[in-house]
């Protein structure tokens, strides 16, 4: 089986024109990449693919001088260019490399090739998801898969970036990924796109051994010895080219909203169906994730737990540590207990409130969720609370609210009012925990709940729950001790989410993206005369959509046609980037245009 590396290189299409032939340590950048590719044991040949434009003639000339095969094809259709090169090289397997990665590690490339072979994958990489330093990127795929993509891919991003079609059709192309064994390297940037990148690379090659490609641990040792070097390009973001390409694409409408949608995979703030169609995912049910899908740090914690075991006959130290972390982390949390899942935690908290007060009736404010089967509850608006608490015919066990529904936070005197009526104040924190800064202890200025429960969002979607609150309520001999239904993986995920929240609290990113989304939607609705029919309320990042049922159904269908998934809430995560928000706003504008043609303006 002939395995060929094809290096993608152009001079005129970069934010740093001419970068492939820039001098780096006495030789062109492209020479570094070719040398690294030639050092990969599993490769049979190395070639360069560039465009047929005249301004890329210097690349062809350099290849001829260096004895490297060079294949030229369409400027903007890189996928066709790769297929042309693969046919010319008679490749059975293609390894895609790019000419802006001079510190490519041959050993990592060889591992990706071996992974593809051993797993039987049509596509293997170390970028899906990205856990390695940027600049070690490599992908390997069968020529058969490449030619299928060449025939069928239609989107500009699929043609420009070569492999999105293969990654999107997971039901058709078996994919495998090589995760980085050393955690925390995803934000390292060793690629060349800006002058700042060149400054870092020049500093690195001056400190690395000459005469052979460096291994990535050697590069790390240099950076760890001189941490200041990382500051040379620290301000540059990742995936800029992909985001730019995505935002340039024309609006993409499906023929109709797909019935019975089934998803194959997801990444960050997007998901894909069985036909390879991608959607921006803003759904709030059943448990929106704080950091989006496939977060590298959380996934790494889950892999570590898999290595330690997943099912235990007795409570674990990790469970004990989790209880300790929760205790005091959230407003009013003096004690904590674990529960099987979010619903079990809610039921336990309600049972505790009823046992403490001797009453059964519940008052539920706004849209706070209740456990399935709960019947002794009455939903009311905040303005009705005082009247219901004063009703002597219906003594109340607890007032329940979801902080995620309160844009300005609950009124400061709420706990005093509830306690004066002999009831307890309960928070459903399954959505708001960490998502809203108002619920996290360092920022908690509002009324403290007597009990608070958490759920799956805090365990990255795995079944898990916890009840937090007053120690006198939670320390009871009769209180049952539960284990998370998601077992050790759920506990590991909860620890990882809390760890990540300590480093990068999600509330700020969620609020910023959510504010941009809500304001953009409001402008679109007003422009199409729908402001009186469709309303938005609630805090940024967890904004509820109000509409008459028939209109809500049509809105959902139109948004799905425009490849946006949401229910009655816009659930933003910290992983939704500028491209996601822009695509979501474009979808809303197209949906509003369609609805305005049939709905009377108000």
């Amino acid at each position: 089986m002939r395995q060929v590396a094809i290096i993608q290189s152009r001079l005129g299409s970069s934010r740093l024109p001419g970068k492939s032939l820039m001098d780096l340590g006495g030789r062109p950048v492209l020479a570094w990449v070719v040398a690294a590719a030639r050092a990969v044991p599993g490769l049979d040949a190395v070639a360069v693919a560039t465009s047929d434009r005249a301004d890329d003639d210097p690349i062809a000339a350099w290849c001829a001088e260096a004895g490297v095969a060079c294949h030229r094809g369409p400027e903007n259709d890189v996928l066709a260019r790769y297929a042309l090169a693969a046919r010319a090289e008679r490749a059975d397997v293609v390894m895609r490399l790019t000419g802006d990665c001079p510190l490519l590690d041959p050993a990592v490339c060889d591992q990706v090739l071996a992974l593809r072979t051993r797993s039987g994958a049509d596509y293997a990489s170390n970028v899906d998801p990205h856990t390695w330093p940027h600049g070690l990127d490599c992908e390997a795929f069968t020529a058969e898969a490449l030619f299928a993509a060449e025939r069928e891919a239609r989107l500009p991003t699929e043609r420009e970036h070569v492999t999105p079609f293969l990654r999107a059709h997971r039901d058709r192309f078996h994919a495998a990924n090589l995760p980085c064994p050393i955690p925390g390297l995803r934000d390292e940037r060793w690629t060349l796109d800006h002058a700042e990148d060149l400054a870092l690379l020049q500093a690195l090659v001056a400190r690395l051994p000459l005469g052979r490609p460096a291994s990535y641990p050697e590069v790390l040792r240099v950076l760890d010895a001189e941490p200041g070097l990382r500051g040379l390009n620290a301000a540059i973001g990742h995936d800029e080219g992909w985001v730019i390409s995505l935002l340039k694409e024309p609006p993409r409408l499906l023929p109709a909203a797909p019935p019975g949608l089934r998803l194959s995979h997801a990444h960050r703030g997007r998901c894909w169906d069985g036909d390879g169609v991608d959607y921006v995912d803003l759904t709030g049910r059943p448990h929106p994730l704080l950091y989006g899908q496939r977060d590298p740090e959380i996934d790494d914690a889950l892999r570590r737990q898999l290595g330690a075991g997943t099912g235990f006959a007795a409570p674990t130290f990790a469970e004990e540590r989790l209880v300790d972390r929760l205790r005091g982390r959230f407003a009013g949390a003096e004690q904590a207990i674990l529960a099987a899942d979010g619903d079990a935690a809610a039921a336990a908290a309600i049972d505790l409130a009823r046992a403490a007060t001797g009453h059964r009736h519940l008052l539920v404010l706004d849209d706070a969720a209740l456990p399935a089967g709960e019947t002794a509850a009455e939903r009311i608006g905040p303005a009705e609370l005082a009247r219901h608490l004063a009703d002597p015919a219906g003594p109340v066990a607890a007032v329940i609210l979801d902080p995620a529904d309160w844009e300005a936070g609950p009124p400061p005197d709420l706990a005093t009012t509830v306690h004066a009526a002999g009831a307890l104040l309960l928070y459903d924190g399954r959505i708001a925990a960490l998502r809203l800064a108002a619920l996290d202890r360092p920022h908690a200025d509002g009324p403290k709940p007597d009990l608070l429960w958490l759920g799956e969002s805090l365990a990255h979607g795995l079944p898990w729950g916890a009840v937090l609150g007053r120690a006198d309520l939670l320390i009871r001999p009769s209180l049952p001790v539960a284990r998370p239904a998601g077992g050790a993986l759920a506990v590991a995920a909860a620890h990882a989410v809390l760890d990540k929240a300590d480093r990068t609290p999600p509330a700020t990113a969620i609020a910023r993206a959510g504010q941009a989304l809500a304001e953009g939607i409001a402008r679109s609705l007003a422009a199409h005369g729908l402001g009186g029919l469709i309303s938005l309320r609630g805090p940024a990042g967890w904004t509820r959509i109000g509409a008459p049922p028939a209109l809500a159904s049509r809105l959902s269908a139109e948004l799905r046609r425009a490849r946006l998934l949401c229910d009655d809430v816009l659930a933003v995560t910290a992983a939704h980037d500028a491209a996601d928000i822009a695509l979501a706003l474009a979808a809303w504008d197209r949906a509003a245009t369609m609805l305005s043609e049939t709905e009377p303006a108000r």
Side-chain angles (χ1 to χ4, degrees), residues 477-492:
S478 61
L479 190 64
V481 177
R483 308 278 306 281
L489 286 176
V491 174

mmCIF file of all heavy atoms in Angstrom, residues 477-492:
data_model
loop_
_atom_site.group_PDB
_atom_site.id
_atom_site.type_symbol
_atom_site.label_atom_id
_atom_site.label_comp_id
_atom_site.label_asym_id
_atom_site.label_seq_id
_atom_site.Cartn_x
_atom_site.Cartn_y
_atom_site.Cartn_z
ATOM 1 N N PRO A 477 -29.806 11.441 59.968
ATOM 2 C CA PRO A 477 -29.534 9.993 59.949
ATOM 3 C C PRO A 477 -30.338 9.239 58.906
ATOM 4 O O PRO A 477 -29.884 8.235 58.364
ATOM 5 C CB PRO A 477 -29.895 9.545 61.380
ATOM 6 C CG PRO A 477 -29.823 10.793 62.199
ATOM 7 C CD PRO A 477 -30.234 11.910 61.306
ATOM 8 N N SER A 478 -31.535 9.723 58.623
ATOM 9 C CA SER A 478 -32.400 8.985 57.697
ATOM 10 C C SER A 478 -32.151 9.344 56.238
ATOM 11 O O SER A 478 -32.778 8.781 55.343
ATOM 12 C CB SER A 478 -33.870 9.268 58.036
ATOM 13 O OG SER A 478 -34.141 10.661 57.903
ATOM 14 N N LEU A 479 -31.236 10.289 55.984
ATOM 15 C CA LEU A 479 -31.022 10.743 54.621
ATOM 16 C C LEU A 479 -30.325 9.648 53.805
ATOM 17 O O LEU A 479 -29.247 9.188 54.165
ATOM 18 C CB LEU A 479 -30.144 12.001 54.614
ATOM 19 C CG LEU A 479 -30.022 12.741 53.282
ATOM 20 C CD1 LEU A 479 -31.359 13.304 52.841
ATOM 21 C CD2 LEU A 479 -28.988 13.850 53.400
ATOM 22 N N PRO A 480 -30.932 9.188 52.698
ATOM 23 C CA PRO A 480 -30.294 8.131 51.902
ATOM 24 C C PRO A 480 -29.042 8.643 51.204
ATOM 25 O O PRO A 480 -28.982 9.782 50.757
ATOM 26 C CB PRO A 480 -31.375 7.756 50.885
ATOM 27 C CG PRO A 480 -32.232 8.980 50.767
ATOM 28 C CD PRO A 480 -32.217 9.621 52.132
ATOM 29 N N VAL A 481 -28.022 7.798 51.126
ATOM 30 C CA VAL A 481 -26.794 8.142 50.430
ATOM 31 C C VAL A 481 -26.867 7.543 49.028
ATOM 32 O O VAL A 481 -27.068 6.332 48.881
ATOM 33 C CB VAL A 481 -25.560 7.611 51.166
ATOM 34 C CG1 VAL A 481 -24.295 7.932 50.375
ATOM 35 C CG2 VAL A 481 -25.480 8.227 52.559
ATOM 36 N N ALA A 482 -26.735 8.386 47.992
ATOM 37 C CA ALA A 482 -26.870 7.927 46.608
ATOM 38 C C ALA A 482 -25.525 8.002 45.908
ATOM 39 O O ALA A 482 -24.620 8.715 46.331
ATOM 40 C CB ALA A 482 -27.900 8.770 45.867
ATOM 41 N N ARG A 483 -25.400 7.266 44.824
ATOM 42 C CA ARG A 483 -24.217 7.313 43.979
ATOM 43 C C ARG A 483 -24.643 7.847 42.615
ATOM 44 O O ARG A 483 -25.737 7.544 42.124
ATOM 45 C CB ARG A 483 -23.620 5.909 43.800
ATOM 46 C CG ARG A 483 -23.363 5.133 45.088
ATOM 47 C CD ARG A 483 -22.063 5.524 45.748
ATOM 48 N NE ARG A 483 -20.898 5.429 44.886
ATOM 49 C CZ ARG A 483 -20.272 4.271 44.604
ATOM 50 N NH1 ARG A 483 -20.714 3.118 45.089
ATOM 51 N NH2 ARG A 483 -19.201 4.287 43.841
ATOM 52 N N PRO A 484 -23.807 8.655 41.966
ATOM 53 C CA PRO A 484 -24.155 9.157 40.632
ATOM 54 C C PRO A 484 -24.413 8.022 39.658
ATOM 55 O O PRO A 484 -23.658 7.042 39.607
ATOM 56 C CB PRO A 484 -22.916 9.965 40.235
ATOM 57 C CG PRO A 484 -22.279 10.354 41.523
ATOM 58 C CD PRO A 484 -22.532 9.208 42.451
ATOM 59 N N ALA A 485 -25.480 8.142 38.884
ATOM 60 C CA ALA A 485 -25.811 7.095 37.913
ATOM 61 C C ALA A 485 -24.735 6.959 36.837
ATOM 62 O O ALA A 485 -24.553 5.895 36.258
ATOM 63 C CB ALA A 485 -27.164 7.397 37.268
ATOM 64 N N GLY A 486 -24.025 8.048 36.582
ATOM 65 C CA GLY A 486 -22.947 7.995 35.603
ATOM 66 C C GLY A 486 -21.664 7.413 36.156
ATOM 67 O O GLY A 486 -20.664 7.325 35.427
ATOM 68 N N GLY A 487 -21.683 7.015 37.423
ATOM 69 C CA GLY A 487 -20.542 6.357 38.029
ATOM 70 C C GLY A 487 -19.306 7.232 38.081
ATOM 71 O O GLY A 487 -19.374 8.464 38.141
ATOM 72 N N ALA A 488 -18.164 6.562 38.050
ATOM 73 C CA ALA A 488 -16.889 7.267 38.199
ATOM 74 C C ALA A 488 -16.644 8.261 37.069
ATOM 75 O O ALA A 488 -15.984 9.285 37.270
ATOM 76 C CB ALA A 488 -15.754 6.253 38.268
ATOM 77 N N LEU A 489 -17.172 7.990 35.874
ATOM 78 C CA LEU A 489 -16.978 8.926 34.762
ATOM 79 C C LEU A 489 -17.690 10.248 35.030
ATOM 80 O O LEU A 489 -17.156 11.323 34.731
ATOM 81 C CB LEU A 489 -17.471 8.316 33.454
ATOM 82 C CG LEU A 489 -16.598 7.220 32.849
ATOM 83 C CD1 LEU A 489 -17.272 6.637 31.606
ATOM 84 C CD2 LEU A 489 -15.214 7.756 32.489
ATOM 85 N N ALA A 490 -18.886 10.177 35.587
ATOM 86 C CA ALA A 490 -19.613 11.405 35.897
ATOM 87 C C ALA A 490 -18.883 12.221 36.952
ATOM 88 O O ALA A 490 -18.801 13.452 36.868
ATOM 89 C CB ALA A 490 -21.031 11.073 36.361
ATOM 90 N N VAL A 491 -18.348 11.541 37.960
ATOM 91 C CA VAL A 491 -17.609 12.240 39.010
ATOM 92 C C VAL A 491 -16.350 12.878 38.426
ATOM 93 O O VAL A 491 -16.011 14.028 38.735
ATOM 94 C CB VAL A 491 -17.262 11.268 40.155
ATOM 95 C CG1 VAL A 491 -16.369 11.937 41.185
ATOM 96 C CG2 VAL A 491 -18.544 10.765 40.818
ATOM 97 N N ALA A 492 -15.646 12.141 37.559
ATOM 98 C CA ALA A 492 -14.450 12.692 36.921
ATOM 99 C C ALA A 492 -14.796 13.908 36.067
ATOM 100 O O ALA A 492 -14.062 14.910 36.047
ATOM 101 C CB ALA A 492 -13.776 11.624 36.070
#
